[in-house]
Amino acid sequence: MHHDLEPTAGVDIAGDLTDSAFLTSLEELEIRSVMCCNVLEHVPDPAQVAAAIERVVSPGGYLLVTVPRRYPYHPGPIDTLFRPTVGELRLLFPTLTVTSSAEVRCESLIGYLLASPTKRASLAHGVRTLANRDSEPHGPPRPFRETARMAVLSTAVSAIVLQASA
């Protein structure tokens, strides 16, 4: 089942995870497992969305969550620069038990850039957006060493698999 905020092709359920009535309707579905991949950096309050997701995982069910750990600013439409460690990500889901967790290395930004023209256009848009973000606070600038590591060696995500008590 694919969830999104707005109904569109390929979306099975549309609704706001911060709406208690919508969450109640999700709980009635007895959802066994949830995947939340690279979403929490795009919401104003990751803890609120994490609590909602935690609430809908049925007893014995699983939750897989990934969030960029080492990745540049990328609006879509917003990027809060939420880049938690695995330990920080785990703290968002206090009632679930960790079954597996890791920081997963991904391709470098250069590799990403060389992969396809579409990705080059997306990266160029991100760079232009970053250059024009003076009016909005996005946290402290990254150290040059971290930026160079992302560009040449690898980006990374924090990944965690959790289980609800049966």
Side-chain angles (χ1 to χ4, degrees), residues 53-162:
I53 293 169
E54 184 178 50
R55 178 177 155 184
V56 301
V57 178
S58 295
Y62 289 89
L63 170 61
L64 166 67
V65 182
T66 64
V67 178
R69 172 70 182 127
R70 196 170 49 248
Y71 200 81
Y73 175 76
H74 60 286
I78 66 167
D79 182 356
T80 63
L81 286 176
F82 180 62
R83 303 293 191 271
T85 63
V86 171
E88 292 165 338
L89 184 58
R90 193 275 166 269
L91 293 175
L92 291 177
F93 304 94
T95 68
L96 304 179
T97 302
V98 175
T99 63
S100 181
S101 63
E103 182 175 300
V104 180
R105 286 183 60 178
C106 304
E107 68 185 338
S108 70
L109 294 176
I110 290 173
Y112 181 83
L113 176 68
L114 296 174
S116 81
T118 304
K119 290 180 181 180
R120 285 192 292 274
S122 295
L123 189 58
H125 173 71
V127 168
R128 283 192 306 274
T129 303
L130 186 59
N132 295 325
R133 69 183 186 143
D134 298 336
S135 62
E136 298 178 40
H138 294 284
R142 288 186 184 271
F144 176 76
R145 181 179 175 156
E146 183 71 9
T147 301
R149 182 177 183 185
M150 287 187 294
V152 178
L153 297 176
S154 71
T155 56
V157 296
S158 291
I160 191 165
V161 178
L162 305 114

Side-chain angles (χ1 to χ4, degrees), residues 5 14-26 48 52 55-56:
L5 191 57
D16 184 346
L17 289 173
T18 63
D19 174 16
S20 61
F22 178 68
L23 281 178
T24 299
S25 71
L26 286 181
Q48 181 184 21
R55 178 177 155 184
V56 301

